[in-house]
Amino acid sequence: MKIGIVGAGVGGLTLALSLIDKGYRDIQIYEAAEEISDLGVGINILPHAMQVMSGLGLLAPLVAASVETGTLSYYTQWGQLILSDERGINAGYRWPQISIHRSQLIQILHAAVVERLGIDRIKTGHRCTGFSSTPGAPAQAYFENGQEEFDLLIGCDGIHSAIRKGMYPNEGDPKWDGITMWRAVSYMPANTIFESMIIAGKSEHRMVMYPIEKGGDGRYLVNWVAKYKTASAQEMPRQDWIHKVEDSEIPEDFRKFDFLMASELIANAEVIYKYPQVDRDPLPSWNLNNVTLLGDAAHPMYPSGSNGA
Ligand SMILES: Cc1cc2nc3c(=O)[nH]c(=O)nc-3n(C[C@H](O)[C@H](O)[C@H](O)COP(=O)(O)OP(=O)(O)OC[C@H]3O[C@@H](n4cnc5c(N)ncnc54)[C@H](O)[C@@H]3O)c2cc1C
């Protein structure tokens, strides 16, 4: 079976590894970007996703490149502890919960695909523009620079999926709920507050942080996000995930999260990215003949439950 995967993000690369594991070899992956990298920041991966990674033989490299999330603590915006919950292995799961830099996660997945399938099976610089499919015939995938035919075509091309758009041309843009997220990673001096995952404040004015690296020099690389309701619900304001902004844009209120050393976290960030918190309505079906959707292309998740990956 000739299988085409559109998108080499978390979903597309994991899918390729799962298909290889099931014995499929005729797989081609198409990625719009010129090279496989993920600028992003940190990502937290739950035990049920780590179970999949473990089945793909990636537990050891992922654990080595990450920090285990042993507890998740909720605080009020004034620093009062509400609840501290054990996570991953500490909570009795067989697989850990981990916090990792997205670029490390992508590199580990990419290296495994290259090793098991070959570098020539990932074509970068190939932006898909749509597809056509009729029952009983191969699906045609269209790219800015050509066209290919597949027995099975899978759209793993994220929240702005061209494959999804081909299936539902009238759906329109993702919906923004008015919440803006500023995200970054910052090197911070060792401090018990940075040892595990913390969620502080309420849903429309919240800070989330967790370490993704504990350096040999005692410093922590801390991933943080400041979430704030900045508008009423409307169409997504800007259509990308690498929108860099100045720290002066972050509302002054966040510097009041003193107990999280918020001012220092913001000051120590090299790059701050701004994201609108967006969502899409559920679809009646993810399939059309021999074409299907996976990951954010099928069902984007709010980034508050660590469930997207
Ligand atoms: C701010 C933020 C924080 C998050 N934090 C977490 C977290 O802590 N834990 C968690 O589990 N999830 C988190 N998520 C969600 C998670 O990032 C997504 O659910 C996950 O990345 C989806 O993977 P995907 O492969 O479906 O899409 P993506 O990761 O978006 O990958 C899509 C890939 O397709 C490529 N592509 C796009 N269009 C085309 C095209 N037309 N042709 C070819 N290639 C194309 C893109 O370049 C990209 O490489 C977060 C999301 C956001 C926005």
Side-chain angles (χ1 to χ4, degrees):
M1 191 191 299
K2 188 176 174 192
I3 302 171
I5 297 176
V6 177
V10 180
L13 293 171
T14 306
L15 170 66
L17 293 169
S18 301
L19 289 168
I20 299 165
D21 195 47
K22 296 265 180 286
Y24 297 96
R25 307 296 303 177
D26 195 357
I27 303 166
Q28 194 72 56
I29 306 165
Y30 298 88
E31 167 57 45
E34 291 300 328
E35 56 185 280
I36 307 289
S37 66
D38 198 316
L39 296 171
V41 283
I43 188 163
N44 194 261
I45 306 182
L46 298 185
H48 52 270
M50 289 302 286
Q51 177 183 5
V52 174
M53 295 297 169
S54 174
L56 296 171
L58 297 178
L59 187 64
L62 286 172
V63 166
S66 63
V67 173
E68 205 173 315
T69 311
T71 54
L72 165 59
S73 303
Y74 292 90
Y75 285 85
T76 66
Q77 64 203 95
W78 302 282
Q80 294 146 322
L81 179 68
I82 300 168
L83 171 77
S84 198
D85 218 10
E86 296 200 319
R87 295 276 144 165
I89 302 277
N90 287 359
Y93 287 95
R94 279 177 58 195
W95 297 275
Q97 180 165 335
I98 63 160
S99 302
I100 188 167
H101 200 290
R102 287 180 86 98
S103 65
Q104 294 261 29
L105 171 64
I106 293 291
Q107 270 172 36
I108 289 169
L109 294 171
H110 179 244
V113 173
V114 169
E115 187 195 312
R116 297 173 198 185
L117 204 59
I119 186 87
D120 55 320
R121 293 306 182 124
I122 306 180
K123 290 192 175 166
T124 53
H126 277 67
R127 177 171 294 281
C128 181
T129 52
F131 72 92
S132 60
S133 162
T134 46
Q140 304 289 329
Y142 303 109
F143 300 92
E144 283 175 349
N145 40 358
Q147 177 177 342
E148 287 280 347
E149 200 173 88
F150 299 99
D151 300 310
L152 176 61
L153 178 65
I154 306 158
C156 306
D157 46 345
I159 195 153
H160 299 298
S161 169
I163 302 289
R164 178 174 175 132
K165 194 165 181 142
M167 280 187 196
Y168 298 95
N170 300 323
E171 188 188 20
D173 284 335
K175 291 173 183 159
W176 180 41
D177 64 0
I179 290 184
T180 296
M181 300 176 285
W182 292 271
R183 297 202 62 159
V185 291
S186 308
Y187 275 105
M188 297 295 286
N191 185 315
T192 48
I193 197 83
F194 301 129
E195 272 177 9
S196 203
M197 187 169 189
I198 288 182
I199 298 181
K202 47 193 178 177
S203 65
E204 296 183 353
H205 177 200
R206 167 174 286 177
M207 222 157 155
V208 180
M209 63 176 215
Y210 48 84
I212 56 172
E213 195 183 299
K214 288 183 181 171
D217 57 2
R219 290 188 310 164
Y220 288 66
L221 184 59
V222 179
N223 177 76
W224 57 267
V225 52
K227 283 172 79 167
Y228 208 60
K229 179 111 177 161
T230 52
S232 51
Q234 55 189 269
E235 294 269 291
M236 186 172 174
R238 184 175 156 163
Q239 311 284 314
D240 71 52
W241 304 110
I242 48 169
H243 185 176
K244 296 178 190 173
V245 294
E246 296 298 321
D247 65 358
S248 53
E249 228 198 59
I250 299 179
E252 203 46 44
D253 268 6
F254 281 102
R255 292 175 174 79
K256 293 184 193 152
F257 282 93
D258 278 347
F259 68 106
L260 301 181
M261 299 177 68
S263 298
E264 291 87 340
L265 277 170
I266 295 170
N268 290 359
E270 264 176 36
V271 183
I272 297 174
Y273 296 103
K274 175 174 165 175
Y275 300 80
Q277 178 163 289
V278 292
D279 197 9
R280 283 193 182 276
D281 286 334
L283 295 176
S285 171
W286 296 333
N287 310 315
L288 181 68
N289 305 320
N290 46 1
V291 182
T292 192
L293 302 171
L294 183 144
D296 276 8
H299 48 71
M301 312 285 287
Y302 271 169
S304 36
S306 304
N307 261 316

